[in-house]
Every structure is written in structure tokens, then in C-alpha cells.
Amino acid sequence: MNKTSFLGKSLVAGLMAASLPLMAGQAQASDYTIDTDGQHAFIQFKISHLGYSYVLGQFKEFSGDFSYDQGKPEDAKVSVEVDVDSLDSAHAERDKHIKSADFLDVSQYPTATFTSTGFESTGDGSGKLKGELTLHGQTQPVTLDVDHIGGGEDPWGGYRQGFEGTTTLELADYGIDTSKLGPNAATVDLYLVIEGIRQ
């Protein structure tokens, strides 16, 4: 092997070695803060009322963040904290009752939290987000059906990712008695829209 060939191969090897940390950094997931300030995130609920109708509402105050790499969605992580007292069903007296010790007991349990434990991709930007939900002082495993809405640059120089998710909770699992609301009120459907800004 001549000296020129040896030096050329050494230079290529050195450049490849130097580029490995950069390549690894590019493969890492990005961290996002949920955009609640801009009202681009929602946690909404739907529950039966006596089997005749539904009560719809939302939690207006919450915060959280997530980590996401579109190339490796299975590594996604999510953490959310909800102010339970911010529940709003567009009826003040009903909200007061829901927040009372009869149901959510917000004076005793003012915060609900969700922490993801894993994500299983089902393809086409969809998947199963598994985690632990703490509500009414009880922690239970939950699974959300999640769809990736989209991601990209925004008009203000930032970068965003957006998702929507659904799940159904058995309220008895969290020690919440709904017997006075009829048998159909044993479960509550949650619908979430989460838009995050890359940090």
C-alpha cells in the first residue's frame, strides 16, 4: 500500500468517526412543550347522563411535555399534569357537584397526572400509548389510541408536532361512585388534542 492510499483511507476513517456523534444526535428524539398558552391543546370528556343524554366538558388548565422522533415512534414519552378544579361542563352548579366529594373531590385530589410507559406503533402515524393515570388518588394503567396529525415549521420560526388520542376510563377503578348517574355513567370517554412546540 502506498503512502497516499494509506493517508486517504485514514482521512476517510477519521471523518467517519468524527461524524458518528453528530449522526447519533440527529437520531435522538426532540423534546416538545404542550402549547396550552396558545390554546392548541385540549382535554375533553363525554359521559352519559341517566342514559338519556350526555354531559360534555373539558379540563381548561393543564401542562406537559413529550419526546418524539418520527423515525422511532416507539421511543415516544409523554408527561401531563391536569388541574382537576379547571373542569368546565358549561354549567356552574353541575361543575360544583362534579368537583365535590360526591365525585372528583378536588379539594382532596386537586391534580391528575399521566406518565407514559411505552408506545406501540400500528403504522401510518397511529399507535397505542400506554401509561399510568393518577386520578382521585388512585393510579391505574391506561392505553390511549393515538394518531399523529402532523408536524413541521410554524409561522413564528418554531417547529411543532400534533397528535390526537382517545381512551375510555372505568370510573370505579379510581374509586369514583357514579351510581346516582345511572349505569351508563360507569365510564367516561376522553378525547385529547395535543400540539407541542419543539424546545
Side-chain angles (χ1 to χ4, degrees), residues 36-72:
T36 53
D37 290 340
Q39 288 295 301
H40 296 123
F42 305 88
I43 300 177
Q44 301 176 335
F45 64 86
K46 172 184 174 182
I47 188 169
S48 172
H49 181 249
L50 302 175
Y52 310 140
S53 182
Y54 294 102
V55 172
L56 306 178
Q58 66 176 322
F59 294 94
K60 299 175 70 174
E61 300 292 336
F62 61 95
S63 61
D65 50 55
F66 62 87
S67 179
Y68 178 70
D69 176 359
Q70 195 163 349
K72 297 184 67 178

Side-chain angles (χ1 to χ4, degrees), residues 6-198:
F6 175 77
L7 287 174
K9 289 185 177 181
S10 297
L11 179 60
V12 171
L15 289 172
M16 289 180 65
S19 69
L20 285 176
L22 177 60
M23 293 170 66
Q26 290 174 340
Q28 291 178 354
S30 296
D31 295 325
Y32 295 80
T33 295
I34 297 174
D35 184 15
T36 53
D37 290 340
Q39 288 295 301
H40 296 123
F42 305 88
I43 300 177
Q44 301 176 335
F45 64 86
K46 172 184 174 182
I47 188 169
S48 172
H49 181 249
L50 302 175
Y52 310 140
S53 182
Y54 294 102
V55 172
L56 306 178
Q58 66 176 322
F59 294 94
K60 299 175 70 174
E61 300 292 336
F62 61 95
S63 61
D65 50 55
F66 62 87
S67 179
Y68 178 70
D69 176 359
Q70 195 163 349
K72 297 184 67 178
E74 65 275 11
D75 291 341
K77 297 179 181 179
V78 183
S79 178
V80 178
E81 182 174 298
V82 180
D83 177 1
V84 182
D85 193 39
S86 71
L87 179 145
D88 181 6
S89 70
H91 190 284
E93 286 302 311
R94 176 173 56 216
D95 292 350
K96 183 179 179 180
H97 190 203
I98 294 173
K99 296 175 190 180
S100 75
D102 287 346
F103 299 108
L104 294 180
D105 196 3
V106 298
S107 63
Q108 183 73 20
Y109 309 108
T111 303
T113 61
F114 173 81
T115 303
S116 66
T117 57
F119 181 78
E120 176 186 347
S121 176
T122 55
D124 297 326
S126 300
K128 304 283 186 180
L129 179 65
K130 298 184 177 182
E132 293 187 339
L133 174 66
T134 299
L135 173 68
H136 197 244
Q138 303 289 324
T139 301
Q140 300 291 343
V142 297
T143 299
L144 289 88
D145 293 316
V146 174
D147 289 309
H148 181 218
I149 300 171
E153 296 179 356
D154 64 26
W156 309 282
Y159 193 92
R160 296 171 180 252
Q161 295 283 357
F163 303 84
E164 64 178 344
T166 59
T167 192
T168 299
L169 304 180
E170 295 279 348
L171 293 177
D173 291 344
Y174 299 90
I176 300 172
D177 180 13
T178 60
S179 59
K180 295 179 181 178
L181 302 179
N184 294 329
T187 61
V188 59
D189 296 327
L190 295 183
Y191 173 65
L192 301 85
V193 175
I194 301 298
E195 183 176 308
I197 306 171
R198 188 168 65 187

